[in-house]
Amino acid sequence: MHNKTDGQNLKKLQNLNAPELVSLVTTLEEERESLISQVGELAMELKNLKKQNSDLHRRVVINHKTGLPNHVKANEDINKLLDNRLEQDDMSPIAFILVKLNENFEAINKALKPTISEWVLYQIGVRLTELSGLENIVYHTREDEFLIVYQNIRDESRLHMFLQLLNEELKRPHIFSGYNISMDSSCGISLFPKHGLERNTLLHNSDIALSYAFKQHFSYTIFTEEISNLVIQKMELQNSIIKALEKQAIKELDKQFYLNYQPIITIEVNTKSFTVVDVKAESLIRWNHPEKGSIKPDDFIPLAEETGLIIPLGNWVLFRAARQLQNWHNRNFNDIQISVNVSPRQFYNPELVETFKRMIETYDIDPADLKIELTENSLIDNPVNAISKLNQLREAGFHISLDDFGTGYSSLNYLKDLPVDTVKIDKSFVDKVHNSSLDQSILKGILYFIRELNLDLIVEGVETLEQLKSLIEMGCRTFQGYYFSSALSEDDFINYRQKILGKKFNVRSSNLTD
């Protein structure tokens, strides 16, 4: 049944002459083609978006050097596997085999081209996969570490046979472009259900067994309580030695080490300009050696971490930053917050929380004014312990920042369980953000997730105006990087802060380093 409007439209059509009718048909045809074109473009855009989401997921769960699933995928798969076993009351054994390459790999990494060490890793991944068979899964969990979830175990003698074959296979030389590279390894193993029913417990026990095997130069070790006690006793002894040396070490550190402070800028954006509304600081340690002169942090921090001296060194940084904060407060700069980096070894030191509380009491400062920065990898290694310690620090009033986010390919889903206040996006996501649509899409996805969790956001490594513009368009408002300023002395930081705070800049031509 036609309504009145339809009748009127039909009458108008009947009154059209031939040229007008042809013109109308042509217009309708053009509109139809335009609509088809728009639908096609929309379909293509949807296809590209799905591909970008797929690329993002692949970057999160796959190790790009070997193509093997990484620790994020391992955690997901193991949780599902164990849940299924417990639901079905299936207690048949599963071996969790951590494989660590020996010191020779680190030497190859430093002495030869990166392509060679990456090729060796790829070949090792291939060998482990072929040896393990289709029913077992190999993961590349860290640079020099692999995990095999070995299910096809009838008895432990079969497992021992597999471990011997694995050791022989990894010892077989790698021949590449004139190089004959031999690689040894150590393995740590825990067994479900004998050594635990949960992923964290099983992997922790595998790690203890691996630590023992690696230090004893054994090809493999299966977890026992005796081994666990030996490892823990050694750790306690090391901590006691470091604690005994700590007071004297801190006195000596003042003679050679000092802190610089890199500004962290927060802006308010208007139509064609932005205004700097806050300037915080990240404390960064520097070493002026009496004989060698200035030594880069990248050269001495890993060494301090390896030897355990990072604990007294880290405590010196903490107390020195607190003293500086107190000094600024005494000069009426009361709204400055300082971030302090805490290394993985320092974070897992049992004395950490008490050390932070002692520091607050010593300098009578608000714990919220001193933010603790931790890398995501230091939390992922032992998430249960990490979350417990983070909760203790937050209960004491400290704010927590997750540094270098994205470098460890941690799961975005994992982030929601961490009791942190701030996420710092790593520089690697910023480098090409102004000219790479893929990098932009990945960063947009990460930013969306962080905002949904109501976390504060800092973007590191901003070096150019083009990068800043792109990040502002994405909604970022807090930045750190050489575009704004390098790390400054305590006086230069205050001068910079006084100069820039409240200042308005044109987005098109701003230059904050003048």
Side-chain angles (χ1 to χ4, degrees), residues 180-247:
N180 192 317
I181 300 170
S182 295
M183 190 71 57
D184 207 345
S185 63
S186 294
C187 298
I189 304 97
S190 68
L191 299 172
F192 167 88
K194 184 176 181 181
H195 301 135
L197 301 177
E198 296 180 348
R199 171 178 60 83
N200 288 338
T201 303
L202 288 161
L203 294 184
H204 178 66
N205 290 340
S206 292
D207 202 37
I208 288 175
L210 175 61
S211 176
Y212 183 80
F214 192 79
K215 289 175 181 176
Q216 298 295 327
H217 300 287
F218 294 160
S219 59
Y220 67 89
T221 297
I222 297 176
F223 175 83
T224 63
E225 288 297 333
E226 290 77 15
I227 289 173
S228 178
N229 291 335
L230 284 172
V231 171
I232 291 170
Q233 286 171 12
K234 188 173 182 179
M235 288 174 61
E236 289 174 347
L237 182 60
Q238 287 173 338
N239 287 332
S240 297
I241 294 170
I242 290 169
K243 191 174 180 181
L245 294 172
E246 187 176 21
K247 286 187 178 180

Side-chain angles (χ1 to χ4, degrees), residues 215 234-235 238-239 242 302-311 342-352 374 378 381 389:
K215 289 175 181 176
K234 188 173 182 179
M235 288 174 61
Q238 287 173 338
N239 287 332
I242 290 169
L303 183 61
E305 181 80 15
E306 183 181 329
T307 59
L309 290 174
I310 195 66
I311 294 175
V342 174
S343 76
R345 195 159 188 168
Q346 187 183 4
F347 179 67
Y348 287 109
N349 178 16
E351 302 293 325
L352 177 77
L374 299 152
S378 65
D381 287 344
K389 190 160 289 189

Side-chain angles (χ1 to χ4, degrees), residues 95-138:
F96 294 86
I97 307 168
L98 278 177
V99 182
K100 183 177 178 64
L101 307 179
N102 69 358
E103 296 89 344
N104 198 24
F105 176 75
E106 188 175 346
I108 291 167
N109 237 346
K110 292 179 179 178
L112 302 179
K113 296 177 182 178
T115 50
I116 295 176
S117 61
E118 289 179 9
W119 179 83
V120 169
L121 282 174
Y122 177 77
Q123 289 297 321
I124 288 171
V126 170
R127 292 183 186 184
L128 291 176
T129 302
E130 291 178 348
L131 184 66
S132 300
L134 296 175
E135 67 273 22
N136 305 307
I137 305 177
V138 180

Side-chain angles (χ1 to χ4, degrees), residues 454-486:
N454 292 317
L455 299 175
D456 292 331
L457 173 70
I458 299 173
V459 183
E460 296 184 286
V462 181
E463 297 182 351
T464 69
L465 179 58
E466 288 73 21
Q467 290 173 346
L468 178 62
K469 287 178 182 177
S470 297
L471 293 165
I472 288 175
E473 288 175 2
M474 292 182 190
C476 303
R477 295 294 181 265
T478 304
F479 310 93
Q480 183 178 355
Y482 288 144
Y483 177 74
F484 300 95
S485 174
S486 58

Side-chain angles (χ1 to χ4, degrees), residues 13 16-32:
L13 285 173
L16 291 176
N17 58 35
E20 289 174 332
L21 195 57
V22 170
S23 176
L24 177 61
V25 171
T26 302
T27 302
L28 290 173
E29 184 64 27
E30 288 174 352
E31 290 179 355
R32 175 179 169 275

Side-chain angles (χ1 to χ4, degrees), residues 27-76:
T27 302
L28 290 173
E29 184 64 27
E30 288 174 352
E31 290 179 355
R32 175 179 169 275
E33 290 177 359
S34 174
L35 184 60
I36 291 171
S37 176
Q38 289 175 28
V39 170
E41 289 173 2
L42 186 61
M44 184 61 69
E45 186 70 24
L46 184 60
K47 182 179 179 181
N48 290 337
L49 185 60
K50 287 181 178 179
K51 183 180 183 302
Q52 288 168 2
N53 288 339
S54 175
D55 290 340
L56 173 60
H57 183 261
R58 181 173 176 79
R59 284 182 65 169
V60 168
V61 301
I62 298 295
N63 185 291
H64 69 281
K65 292 182 180 179
T66 56
L68 293 173
N70 64 10
H71 66 277
V72 175
K73 191 73 169 77
N75 290 343
E76 294 173 356

